[in-house]
Every structure is written in C-alpha cells, then in structure tokens.
C-alpha cells in the first residue's frame, strides 16, 4: 500500500508540473503578443500624430473640364502607397469615391525618395472627371493611416 501511494504521488506531482509549465508558456506567449500589439498600436498612433497633409492650389482647366491640385506633406511621416489613399469628391450633396482610373498622381516636388511623399514634398493629383464651370465641390483626401484633408472649390472661379 505504501509503494502505490508513492507512485500515485509522483504521477500527481508530474501532472501538476506539466500543467504549471503549460500555463507558464501560455502566459508568456500571451504577454509577448500583448506587448507586440501595444508596440504596434503605439507606433501607428505616433505615425498618425506626426502625419499632416494639406490640399493646395486647386485649379480648374476649362479646356479639359478637369481639376488638379497639390497635396503637400506638412508632417514628419513619409507617405507612400498612393493606391491605398481614398479620394472623395462631394458635389451637389452626393459623395463619389474615386477609383484609380478617375485620378492621376504625379510628383511635384520629389527631392529625396522617388515615389515616396517625404516631409516638405508634394504631389499633383488631377481629377479625370468632367466638371462643369461654376460647379461647387469639396475634394477630400484620406491617407493610408487615416489622416484627412479637404478643400472646397468652385470650378471656373
């Protein structure tokens, strides 16, 4: 009877150690993933705080009925992935989401990195949508990290 008790005790102690080790490894994984999630969220927040864009120089071309404007990076974050930007046009109370075939992006001031909108650089965006003279509209740009800039303009003025 004594030897059976010792074997059961070793079995119970071994089971407790395996469960404790499993919980410790699971807790370690949970803490690591939580930390990496916090670091990622913090980096995203810092990028958002340091990102600023400004829409400037809206020009309506009466011969093509297209509008072009400059987007300047006035923040401290490099911006790229222009295909991830959202461009919205609000005209006559209707919001239009523009796809990539309805606008073109060309660098205006591209000093450092090609195809990246570094701080103090700008790009030109031409809306390839026909607008009528005296149309009043709002253009809104949303970057890939969620920073928004908008400007109102009356075509032909």
């Amino acid at each position: 009877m004594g030897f059976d008790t010792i074997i059961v005790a070793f079995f119970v102690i071994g089971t407790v150690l395996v469960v404790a080790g499993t919980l410790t490894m699971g807790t370690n994984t949970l803490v690591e993933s939580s930390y990496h999630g916090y670091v990622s969220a913090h980096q995203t927040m810092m990028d958002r705080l340091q990102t600023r864009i400004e829409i400037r120089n809206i020009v309506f071309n009466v011969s093509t009925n297209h509008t072009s404007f400059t987007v300047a990076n006035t923040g401290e974050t490099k911006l790229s992935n222009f295909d991830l930007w959202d461009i919205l046009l609000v005209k006559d109370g209707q919001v239009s989401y523009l796809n990539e075939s309805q606008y073109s992006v060309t660098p205006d001031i591209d000093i450092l990195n090609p195809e990246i909108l570094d701080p103090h650089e700008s790009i030109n965006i031409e809306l390839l949508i026909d607008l009528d003279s005296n149309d009043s509209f709002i253009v809104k740009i949303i970057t890939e990290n969620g920073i928004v800039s908008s400007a109102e303009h009356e075509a032909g003025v």
Side-chain angles (χ1 to χ4, degrees):
M1 185 153 159
F3 187 67
D4 292 345
T5 307
I6 292 173
I7 291 175
V8 170
F10 276 129
F11 179 71
V12 169
I13 290 173
T15 304
V16 167
L17 289 176
V18 167
V19 169
T22 304
L23 286 175
T24 302
M25 289 189 310
T27 303
N28 185 31
T29 303
L30 177 66
V31 168
E32 274 186 31
S33 65
S34 297
Y35 173 74
H36 290 302
Y38 171 76
V39 167
S40 175
H42 178 68
Q43 184 62 40
T44 300
M45 181 185 66
M46 291 307 292
D47 284 347
R48 286 188 59 137
L49 287 173
Q50 295 176 349
T51 303
R52 284 181 297 287
I53 60 171
E54 186 177 317
I55 297 174
R56 301 177 179 165
N57 306 329
I58 300 177
V59 176
F60 177 73
N61 186 337
V62 292
S63 63
T64 62
N65 289 341
H66 293 169
T67 299
S68 63
F69 53 90
T70 302
V71 177
N73 183 352
T74 58
E76 297 300 323
T77 304
K78 294 179 180 183
L79 300 171
S80 58
N81 299 327
F82 302 121
D83 54 335
L84 296 178
W85 287 24
D86 292 328
I87 300 179
L88 305 172
L89 183 69
V90 181
K91 184 177 96 167
D92 299 328
Q94 304 253 337
V95 178
S96 301
Y97 176 80
L98 304 183
N99 60 38
E100 292 180 32
S101 67
Q102 294 175 308
Y103 65 90
S104 67
V105 177
T106 55
D108 181 33
I109 301 173
D110 198 5
I111 302 168
L112 296 175
N113 301 310
E115 312 234 352
I116 294 177
L117 186 58
D118 292 300
H120 308 293
E121 291 184 346
S122 60
I123 58 173
N124 284 328
I125 296 179
E126 180 178 3
L127 302 181
L128 303 175
I129 296 174
D130 287 338
L131 297 169
D132 295 326
S133 189
N134 297 325
D135 274 350
S136 181
F137 62 91
I138 298 171
V139 65
K140 187 176 221 177
I141 306 288
I142 306 168
T143 65
E144 72 269 15
N145 61 358
I147 301 304
V148 178
S149 181
S150 63
E152 187 173 3
H153 187 71
E154 188 170 332
V157 176

